[in-house]
Amino acid sequence: MHPAFLGLITIVIGVGGCLAYYFSSNWVLDNVLYPAKGPQAGRNINRANMIRPWLFLLPALLALTIYLAYPVFETLRLSLTDRDADGAFVGLDNYRQMFGESKFWEAMRNNMLWLIFVPAMSTMFGLMVAQLTDRIKWGNVAKSLIFMPMAISFVGAAVIWKLVYDARPEGTEQIGVLNAIYVWFSGGAPQQWLTIPIWNNFFLMAVLIWIQTGFAMVILSAALRGIPEETIEAAIVDGANPWQIFFKIKVPQIKSTIMVVWTTITLVVLKVFDLVFAMTNGQWETQVLANYMFNQLFVTRDWGVGSASAMIIMLLVTPILIWNVRNARKEMR
Amino acid sequence: MDNIAGTKSTLTWAVHISVAFLVALWLFPTVGLFVSSFRTADQIATSGWWNSLFPSEQNLTLRSAAPDTQTLIDGLYVIEGDLFEEKDVEISVWGISSRAIADYTAGQTAELKKGGRVTVTADGLYRMENEEPFTGSRGTRIFVTATAPPEFTTENYANMLLDPKNIDGMANAFFNTLTVTIPATIIPIVVAAFAAYALAWMDFPGRALLIAFVVGLLVVPLQLALIPLLKLHLATGIGKGYLGTWMAHTGFGLPLAIYLLRNYMVGLPRDIIENARVDGATEFQIFTKIILPLSFPALASFAIFQFLWTWNDLLVAKVFLIDSTGQTTVMTAQIVELLGTRGGNWEILATAAFVSIAVPLAVFFAMQKYLVRGLLAGSVK
């Protein structure tokens, strides 16, 4: 059978099954269990209304519990057990083993570099573009083009940038733009950019910055527009120059938005996997935590250490998690 | 800021130029790959893609027609033809020896060593004349330096998409990606819409706690879920396949979906819902007839997020979908595979990447408004 046809059937069954649950469960509730007629109509309606929220919520709660909440605890358990010894409890042995590996510390160091540079540069570029495009006529077109990499997959971006970083043997024409420029200006030999330790991390980061700047720009641009005009007019009347208006009037007013952008990009950075996996796979000292974990889980097949490194990622996002929940609760009051 | 005397014009120019520069910088890498996907392997390997946009000067070795095509006209043996078969090329200089490829300019006539003369004009037409018949089995070699216009081909796409025998082909992976993406986008929307309505407009004990639960799960890295869920899928018989992948994508997408939709639904006017309740509409009717249509912008926002995320995903597919047969590989996984096996074949890589990028880009430009709206609702809260 043609793959497209087969796919279509699977799609119809999957989506149909999901819709069928909601319709049929509601029908059963209203017509079989507690019909809104007969001598007990009033009581039935009340009972049905007590049950209905849980009918609506059940699939979502099940999915959330099984696919996100349960794995957190299961991963914690796995990180404390040894798969080869039939899942025997081994305490912190996996963590001890992980802390003894130089690859782990390399991943930690690189992740810290990523955590510092990617959110900072993306936010900075985003703010810059948002401010610059604010008052020009073709600003929206410019923004839309800078925003575009958001739609491109990390894998696609990896291919795009591998071409940029491509190196041909010395003496032949360079087809990677970075080497073409480098050879043109320095006259030196073309470089294999992705194999130069430490610096190659920055070449990888550039790709994520390229992707995330659009996100930062969209959010910050909306925030800039939300600034009350009076504050800016007052500053102009007082003789502030454009730089002062930007840094002393505008930026302080959108501080909280900058924080949100920063933390959102931080979350992306902590989980960055595809990019490193596709471009260097952690070779030449470019390992990061998420890729280290993937290697432990599916290449070395050491679930204990793999889970331990996953717990490290969880530990790093926990402050953001707490901050988010607190903010959400504050808003609801 | 616009009305500060004396600073306006120079500043405006600086702004225009710096924005143009940034846009060019941001577009350049993507355009490079796009242009490369329309070039032949030879062209990509020998010149930077930026050169392909302009007419380029090339040194070519060409051959005239073979002597058996000669005709006898007025006592002269003549071979005529077009070196470039009607391509739009301009010859500047040419030669008949590999050691002197620039001896003649266009329109000049050269004496052939074996006897006879040859004339080559700028547009590639040549005429060979001789009093004796031309001998030999092959035509004579002509070396030209010519300026050729940019030349592109769609052959790469035909190879990657339409050739069923190409093991590197993307057609199968394309359908697999679609099969993953469509349900993995629709199912979480349906599930989240019902849950969001319950969390926004139904009263029941524990509601606030559930909302906090959802917000907390927003940031849980899906890396944690890989092994426990793979174990679960294998133990329950779901195994590796589409069903497990849809469920995983649903689970991972739900927190954001519920969060976005609930925030939007809470903002809908209370009067509408209460009027409907008074008029005797059931909760199910209120939800399907009133809330869902009104929530369209939020639904669209999340649909785009989830679509982009599942279409571009590599990790979930690698762990939950792709088994050892490789029949269910998705495009991202296929491209990573190609990066490993076809590292230098840019015509293959560029085309494969663009096949996978094209759909999200189209969605992006068509529905950017909703994407922006969703981003704003999802983070500035």
Side-chain angles (χ1 to χ4, degrees), chain A residues 248-264:
Chain A
K248 302 224 163 118
I249 310 290
K250 286 186 168 177
V251 171
Q253 292 193 69
I254 57 166
K255 230 189 219 157
S256 67
T257 313
I258 293 178
M259 274 301 287
V260 170
V261 170
W262 196 291
T263 48
T264 312

Side-chain angles (χ1 to χ4, degrees), chain A:
Chain A
M1 221 184 315
H2 195 270
F5 188 61
L6 211 66
L8 200 68
I9 294 179
T10 11
I11 289 170
V12 170
I13 294 174
V15 176
C18 173
L19 284 172
Y21 159 80
Y22 288 102
F23 281 96
S24 58
S25 67
N26 261 281
W27 188 85
V28 168
L29 186 68
D30 286 332
N31 294 293
V32 180
L33 286 180
Y34 299 109
K37 54 186 178 237
Q40 295 179 318
R43 206 192 61 165
N44 277 354
I45 289 177
N46 280 340
R47 284 205 175 159
N49 280 344
M50 271 173 59
I51 294 175
R52 201 180 329 268
W54 299 104
L55 276 188
F56 277 28
L57 280 167
L58 185 72
L61 286 183
L62 269 182
L64 287 175
T65 315
I66 297 174
Y67 280 87
L68 284 170
Y70 152 77
V72 175
F73 298 101
E74 176 67 6
T75 304
L76 181 64
R77 192 186 70 79
L78 284 173
S79 76
L80 300 173
T81 58
D82 185 356
R83 188 192 184 196
D84 293 330
D86 268 342
F89 182 77
V90 292
L92 295 175
D93 275 6
N94 289 321
Y95 290 89
R96 228 166 273 144
Q97 188 192 336
M98 184 172 73
F99 292 147
E101 281 184 30
S102 62
K103 264 285 170 191
F104 170 76
W105 290 110
E106 179 195 313
M108 280 298 269
R109 180 202 68 191
N110 291 342
N111 251 68
M112 290 304 139
L113 283 178
W114 282 74
L115 278 178
I116 295 165
F117 282 98
V118 177
M121 299 299 281
S122 308
T123 313
M124 195 194 81
F125 276 122
L127 193 56
M128 201 163 91
V129 178
Q131 168 67 20
L132 288 177
T133 51
D134 200 24
R135 299 284 167 100
I136 59 177
K137 263 191 197 140
W138 54 289
N140 280 336
V141 179
K143 274 199 274 191
S144 154
L145 291 175
I146 289 180
F147 191 32
M148 186 187 72
M150 274 293 277
I152 295 175
S153 61
F154 284 140
V155 174
V159 178
I160 289 175
W161 283 82
K162 270 203 141 181
L163 181 60
V164 172
Y165 297 146
D166 194 78
R168 295 272 137 169
E170 200 176 349
T172 54
E173 192 176 340
Q174 294 300 317
I175 64 167
V177 71
L178 196 60
N179 267 318
I181 294 172
Y182 177 77
V183 170
W184 175 273
F185 277 108
S186 76
Q191 303 287 315
Q192 295 279 354
W193 302 109
L194 290 176
T195 63
I196 310 169
I198 290 289
W199 296 111
N200 50 10
N201 282 302
F202 292 92
F203 290 119
L204 292 179
M205 286 180 216
V207 185
L208 194 57
I209 294 168
W210 177 72
I211 294 174
Q212 291 295 327
T213 295
F215 162 76
M217 173 202 72
V218 165
I219 309 270
L220 293 170
S221 154
L224 282 177
R225 295 218 169 138
I227 294 175
E229 280 289 323
E230 304 88 71
T231 57
I232 296 161
E233 276 162 23
I236 293 172
V237 171
D238 287 348
N241 66 37
W243 299 103
Q244 287 173 322
I245 292 174
F246 182 68
F247 286 108
K248 302 224 163 118
I249 310 290
K250 286 186 168 177
V251 171
Q253 292 193 69
I254 57 166
K255 230 189 219 157
S256 67
T257 313
I258 293 178
M259 274 301 287
V260 170
V261 170
W262 196 291
T263 48
T264 312
I265 299 177
T266 302
L267 285 173
V268 175
V269 170
L270 279 171
K271 298 183 214 169
V272 68
F273 159 75
D274 316 29
L275 208 57
V276 178
F277 182 73
M279 288 188 83
T280 63
N281 198 9
Q283 298 176 79
W284 309 294
E285 299 179 30
T286 54
Q287 192 63 293
V288 291
L289 276 176
N291 195 52
Y292 172 81
M293 192 209 73
F294 187 85
N295 267 336
Q296 291 294 340
L297 290 182
F298 299 104
V299 183
T300 323
R301 298 199 174 267
D302 188 337
W303 288 9
V305 174
S307 300
S309 52
M311 288 314 292
I312 300 285
I313 302 179
M314 184 67 212
L315 201 69
L316 290 171
V317 302
T318 305
I320 302 176
L321 187 150
I322 295 170
W323 190 63
N324 269 358
V325 173
R326 270 195 169 167
N327 279 356
R329 296 200 68 113
K330 228 185 283 166
E331 254 166 58
M332 277 195 292
R333 267 185 221 118

